[in-house]
Amino acid sequence: MGSPLPPPPAVTQQALDALAARFAPRAGAYDRSGEIAMDNLDDCRAAGLTGLTVARADGGQGGGIRQIVNVTGTLATGDPSTALILAMHFLQHALIARATSWPETTRRQVIETALRDGALINALRVEPDLGTPSRGGLPATRISLTSGRPVLNGRKIYSTGSTALRWGMVWVATDEAQPRVGQVLVDLHAPGIRIERSWHQMGMRATGSHTFVFEDVELPETALVDLRAPDQWHSNDGTLVIGHALAIAALYDGVARAARDWLISFLHVRVPTALGRPLATLPRFHTLLGQIDALLMTNRSILAGALDRTESGDYPGTEANLAKYVMTENAIRAVELGVAAIGNPALSQDNPLERHFRNVLCARIHTPQADVALAAAGKVALA
């Protein structure tokens, strides 16, 4: 596979802010079309972001949860769909950097395509009947191990990034008498794979989270990167649980901040005839912005504390999931306050607040969902 590439320079906050500012004017058109913003992803590749969480020893930047959260939250102020595709890529490479079960040739292939070509990866887990694996159950997507080479059949829905992905970490069960479950690495350009354009959601429309269909896809033995008995998956990787929860929280917090910034600009330029001065001069809007900023200040405090405790090794996954719940509910409430305050302009497709509102509501369907996060925390409290 060749020697490791030299690590790219770390991406500065100024560069991230510039990317978000570049994405923002494009976001409305991609929301309307439902297409993935490939030019945004190209800009991220050019900035070296696809190697953010690749280990330094492998030529990447070696970024951890703090870097994932910062990049995701910043880019989400410009286009949260792009930010989500990147966040999922970051989390998968963070896992690869820690993995011990991967065949070395497979690991090198995924890493080097990320560094050289900007190849993206995501986990493909959700199914029409199973739903999300976080709630239990065996996947219907199966690997046959009885015909020489492993053969993959099944389908995965809600596949964020679909048409932009090169690699998929597909959650499967084997066809053995005692099935194993786990992850197989699939080159999504391989024969027997097609994409059904099934993503017709209200928000986060430019994630391209379509359906992958796998029909007799032959895989190399080295693709079977992590298969275990089902009961061996009860102790999920704590880093992934925390990283996912905080990245999702930061993403929707970014949406709320973008909505806040637009609202401020609107209140300064909107001058009703009867008033004769900008809405920003009215005390009721001073109070409104205070309410919004209190919610977002709370988010900043929660996130800062979560990152500090994560780095000290003193942050359980149950608390990270609660942080996701509280931060995303705060983000939703912050946007709702702005929508309620300004009436029809808030729901006009001519203004971005309408899009921010639809996007931020999607926080509630992201794992961990509220009932799971709250019940798990309650069990810990009562144990």
Coordinates of all heavy atoms in Angstrom, one line a residue, residues 260 263 283-299 330-331 333-338 340-341:
R260 N -30.4 32.3 14.7 CA -30.2 33.5 15.6 C -29.6 34.7 14.8 O -30.1 35.8 14.8 CB -29.4 33.2 16.8 CG -29.0 34.4 17.6 CD -27.8 34.1 18.5 NE -27.4 35.3 19.3 CZ -26.5 36.2 18.9 NH1 -25.9 36.1 17.7 NH2 -26.2 37.2 19.7
L263 N -32.0 36.1 12.3 CA -33.0 36.9 13.0 C -32.6 38.2 13.3 O -33.3 39.2 13.2 CB -33.5 36.1 14.2 CG -34.6 36.8 15.1 CD1 -35.9 36.9 14.3 CD2 -34.8 35.9 16.3
P283 N -38.3 46.8 22.8 CA -38.0 46.0 24.0 C -38.4 44.6 23.9 O -37.7 43.7 24.5 CB -38.7 46.8 25.1 CG -38.8 48.2 24.7 CD -39.0 48.1 23.2
R284 N -39.5 44.3 23.3 CA -39.9 42.9 23.2 C -38.9 42.0 22.5 O -38.7 40.8 22.8 CB -41.3 42.7 22.6 CG -41.4 43.1 21.1 CD -42.9 42.9 20.7 NE -43.2 41.4 20.6 CZ -43.4 40.8 19.4 NH1 -43.3 41.4 18.3 NH2 -43.7 39.5 19.4
F285 N -38.2 42.6 21.5 CA -37.2 41.8 20.8 C -35.9 41.8 21.5 O -35.1 40.8 21.3 CB -37.1 42.4 19.4 CG -38.2 42.1 18.5 CD1 -39.1 43.1 18.1 CD2 -38.5 40.8 18.1 CE1 -40.2 42.8 17.3 CE2 -39.7 40.5 17.3 CZ -40.5 41.5 16.9
H286 N -35.7 42.7 22.4 CA -34.5 42.6 23.3 C -34.7 41.4 24.2 O -33.8 40.6 24.4 CB -34.4 43.9 24.1 CG -34.2 45.1 23.3 ND1 -34.3 46.4 23.9 CD2 -33.9 45.3 22.0 CE1 -34.1 47.3 22.9 NE2 -33.9 46.7 21.8
T287 N -35.9 41.3 24.7 CA -36.2 40.2 25.6 C -36.1 38.8 24.8 O -35.6 37.8 25.3 CB -37.6 40.3 26.2 OG1 -37.7 41.5 27.0 CG2 -37.9 39.1 27.1
L288 N -36.6 38.8 23.6 CA -36.6 37.7 22.8 C -35.1 37.2 22.6 O -34.8 36.0 22.8 CB -37.2 37.9 21.5 CG -37.1 36.8 20.4 CD1 -37.9 35.6 20.8 CD2 -37.4 37.3 19.0
L289 N -34.2 38.1 22.2 CA -32.9 37.7 22.0 C -32.2 37.3 23.2 O -31.3 36.4 23.2 CB -32.1 38.8 21.3 CG -32.0 38.7 19.8 CD1 -31.2 37.5 19.3 CD2 -33.3 38.7 19.1
G290 N -32.6 37.9 24.4 CA -32.1 37.4 25.6 C -32.5 36.0 25.9 O -31.7 35.1 26.4
Q291 N -33.7 35.6 25.6 CA -34.2 34.2 25.8 C -33.4 33.3 24.9 O -33.0 32.2 25.4 CB -35.7 34.1 25.5 CG -36.6 34.8 26.5 CD -38.1 34.7 26.0 OE1 -38.5 35.3 25.0 NE2 -38.8 33.8 26.6
I292 N -33.2 33.6 23.7 CA -32.5 32.8 22.7 C -31.1 32.6 23.2 O -30.5 31.5 23.2 CB -32.6 33.4 21.3 CG1 -34.0 33.2 20.8 CG2 -31.6 32.7 20.4 CD1 -34.3 34.0 19.5
D293 N -30.4 33.7 23.6 CA -29.0 33.6 23.9 C -28.8 32.9 25.3 O -27.8 32.2 25.5 CB -28.4 35.0 24.1 CG -28.0 35.6 22.7 OD1 -28.2 34.9 21.7 OD2 -27.6 36.8 22.6
A294 N -29.8 32.9 26.1 CA -29.8 32.1 27.4 C -29.7 30.6 27.0 O -29.0 29.8 27.6 CB -30.9 32.4 28.3
L295 N -30.6 30.2 26.1 CA -30.6 28.8 25.6 C -29.3 28.4 25.0 O -28.7 27.3 25.3 CB -31.7 28.6 24.7 CG -33.2 28.7 25.2 CD1 -34.2 28.9 24.1 CD2 -33.5 27.5 26.1
L296 N -28.8 29.2 24.2 CA -27.5 28.9 23.5 C -26.3 29.0 24.4 O -25.3 28.3 24.2 CB -27.4 29.8 22.2 CG -28.5 29.6 21.2 CD1 -28.2 30.5 20.0 CD2 -28.7 28.2 20.8
M297 N -26.4 29.9 25.4 CA -25.3 30.0 26.4 C -25.3 28.7 27.2 O -24.2 28.1 27.5 CB -25.5 31.2 27.3 CG -24.4 31.3 28.3 SD -24.8 32.7 29.4 CE -26.2 32.1 30.3
T298 N -26.4 28.2 27.5 CA -26.5 26.9 28.2 C -25.9 25.8 27.4 O -25.1 25.0 27.9 CB -28.0 26.6 28.6 OG1 -28.6 27.6 29.3 CG2 -28.1 25.3 29.3
N299 N -26.2 25.8 26.1 CA -25.6 24.8 25.3 C -24.0 24.9 25.3 O -23.3 23.9 25.3 CB -26.1 24.9 23.8 CG -27.4 24.4 23.6 OD1 -28.0 23.8 24.6 ND2 -27.9 24.4 22.4
N330 N -32.9 22.7 23.5 CA -32.6 24.1 23.5 C -32.5 24.7 22.2 O -33.0 25.8 21.9 CB -31.3 24.3 24.3 CG -31.5 24.2 25.8 OD1 -32.6 24.0 26.3 ND2 -30.3 24.2 26.5
A331 N -31.9 24.0 21.2 CA -31.7 24.5 19.9 C -33.1 24.7 19.2 O -33.4 25.7 18.6 CB -30.8 23.6 19.1
R333 N -36.0 25.0 20.7 CA -36.7 26.1 21.3 C -36.2 27.5 20.9 O -37.0 28.4 20.7 CB -36.6 26.0 22.9 CG -37.4 27.0 23.7 CD -38.8 27.0 23.3 NE -39.6 28.0 24.1 CZ -40.7 28.6 23.7 NH1 -41.3 28.2 22.5 NH2 -41.3 29.5 24.4
A334 N -34.9 27.6 20.7 CA -34.4 28.9 20.3 C -34.9 29.3 18.9 O -35.2 30.5 18.7 CB -32.8 28.8 20.3
V335 N -35.0 28.3 18.0 CA -35.5 28.6 16.7 C -37.0 28.9 16.7 O -37.5 29.8 16.1 CB -35.1 27.5 15.7 CG1 -35.7 27.8 14.3 CG2 -33.6 27.3 15.6
E336 N -37.7 28.1 17.5 CA -39.1 28.3 17.6 C -39.5 29.7 18.1 O -40.5 30.3 17.7 CB -39.7 27.3 18.6 CG -39.9 25.9 18.1 CD -40.4 24.9 19.1 OE1 -40.2 25.2 20.3 OE2 -40.9 23.8 18.7
L337 N -38.7 30.2 19.1 CA -39.0 31.5 19.6 C -38.9 32.6 18.5 O -39.7 33.5 18.4 CB -38.0 31.9 20.7 CG -38.2 31.2 22.0 CD1 -37.0 31.4 23.0 CD2 -39.5 31.7 22.7
G338 N -37.9 32.5 17.6 CA -37.7 33.4 16.5 C -38.9 33.3 15.5 O -39.4 34.3 15.0
A340 N -41.9 32.2 16.1 CA -43.2 32.7 16.6 C -43.2 34.2 16.7 O -44.3 34.9 16.6 CB -43.4 32.1 18.0
A341 N -42.0 34.8 16.8 CA -42.0 36.3 17.1 C -42.2 37.1 15.8 O -42.7 38.2 15.9 CB -40.6 36.6 17.7

